[in-house]
Amino acid sequence: AAGVIQSPRHLIKEKRETATLKCYPIPRHDTVYWYQQGPGQDPQFLISFYEKMQSDKGSIPDRFSAQQFSDYHSELNMSSLELGDSALYFCASSAGTVYEQYFGPGTRLTVT
Amino acid sequence: GDSVTQMEGPVTLSEEAFLTINCTYTATGYPSLFWYVQYPGEGLQLLLKATKADDKGSNKGFEATYRKETTSFHLEKGSVQVSDSAVYFCALSGMDSSYKLIFGSGTRLLVRP
């Protein structure tokens, strides 16, 4: 069965650079969530989209922005990167907001 | 706000031992409850879920029952295997507009042969 695809899987950036993370949801899933997992921590909700509209926003820095496109894939744009942004970034998708979420393998971002 | 509390790890067991990982929650309304498992270097996999009180979720020998009276969703397995070694996250999906997941801090399980 098709799963959530995230790219790239690994990304190394320097401080103050920008990064773009991409997420391709499971076919026919219309809802995308982004989570950030710091080292040894639990995943923290960043932002979500339903039918290409932002549905909720969590602890996402103003330096980050995201959108969902007409084909339902989503991109998380991160600017002025800081060392503290180093983390695993997970995307999850669901068929509507009331169903269980399926997670991608994550993008490991390292900021040096 | 909504929150999830899990027992701290690591939990170290011998193969074929009984496993319990405690999870309690605080939430308004009637959240859905989940257990996710994360193997080393991998993403989060949904292990089981329960959407209403007294529901029992089960998968791969793992079970958890939604107990509204004690606001708990403890994970159990009768006989663990080395391959069960992973981090287990309890999570809830609340009644807000997006149904985002709120996770507990995770419990690392190490099963020794």
Side-chain angles (χ1 to χ4, degrees), chain A residues 5-108:
Chain A
I5 297 171
Q6 290 188 247
S7 67
R9 293 292 309 276
H10 302 272
L11 191 58
I12 300 175
K13 291 286 186 178
E14 294 188 354
K15 280 187 348 181
R16 294 180 287 279
E17 286 191 320
T18 61
T20 297
L21 279 54
K22 297 185 179 182
C23 169
Y24 297 86
I26 291 171
R28 290 180 295 281
H29 280 195
D30 53 11
T31 306
V32 167
Y33 302 82
W34 286 96
Y35 295 86
Q36 177 192 58
Q37 185 180 29
Q41 298 180 7
D42 58 293
Q44 295 289 317
F45 170 73
L46 292 177
I47 195 167
S48 62
F49 295 88
Y50 170 63
E51 281 291 344
K52 294 156 277 185
M53 298 289 289
Q54 181 181 308
S55 55
D56 199 358
K57 197 171 182 180
S59 49
I60 182 170
D62 291 341
R63 301 176 288 108
F64 294 7
S65 65
Q67 59 181 321
Q68 186 179 31
F69 294 87
S70 58
D71 63 351
Y72 296 103
H73 93 272
S74 178
E75 295 183 4
L76 177 65
N77 298 292
M78 311 160 71
S79 63
S80 302
L81 287 169
E82 301 174 356
L83 295 178
D85 296 329
S86 295
L88 258 176
Y89 290 83
F90 288 110
C91 170
S93 74
S94 69
T97 56
V98 298
Y99 298 96
E100 57 261 32
Q101 298 176 28
Y102 294 88
F103 282 75
T107 294
R108 183 172 295 281

Side-chain angles (χ1 to χ4, degrees), chain B residues 13-17 79-83 111-113:
Chain B
L13 296 172
S14 298
E15 204 165 24
E16 299 183 2
S79 176
V80 294
Q81 305 300 313
V82 172
S83 57
V111 180
R112 293 183 169 159

Side-chain angles (χ1 to χ4, degrees), chain B:
Chain B
D2 296 352
S3 66
V4 175
T5 302
Q6 278 182 247
M7 63 185 288
E8 289 193 19
V11 173
T12 303
L13 296 172
S14 298
E15 204 165 24
E16 299 183 2
F18 184 85
L19 168 71
T20 298
I21 300 178
N22 291 335
C23 170
T24 58
Y25 68 90
T26 301
T28 54
Y30 303 94
S32 295
L33 301 174
F34 306 86
W35 277 100
Y36 281 85
V37 58
Q38 186 174 33
Y39 297 100
E42 297 186 13
L44 293 157
Q45 298 179 24
L46 177 63
L47 183 58
L48 53 84
K49 66 179 173 80
T51 58
K52 61 183 187 296
D54 300 324
D55 265 3
K56 177 185 280 188
S58 62
N59 185 26
K60 300 180 181 178
F62 291 90
E63 294 183 341
T65 301
Y66 189 143
R67 301 286 187 199
K68 187 173 183 299
E69 64 275 14
T70 54
T71 62
S72 65
F73 193 55
H74 304 321
L75 182 68
E76 296 181 336
K77 187 175 186 183
S79 176
V80 294
Q81 305 300 313
V82 172
S83 57
D84 293 327
S85 298
V87 179
Y88 293 80
F89 289 95
C90 184
L92 68 82
S93 175
M95 305 297 288
D96 61 13
S97 59
S98 71
Y99 298 91
K100 62 180 177 288
L101 290 171
I102 295 170
F103 289 88
S105 55
T107 302
R108 181 174 300 278
L109 170 66
L110 176 61
V111 180
R112 293 183 169 159

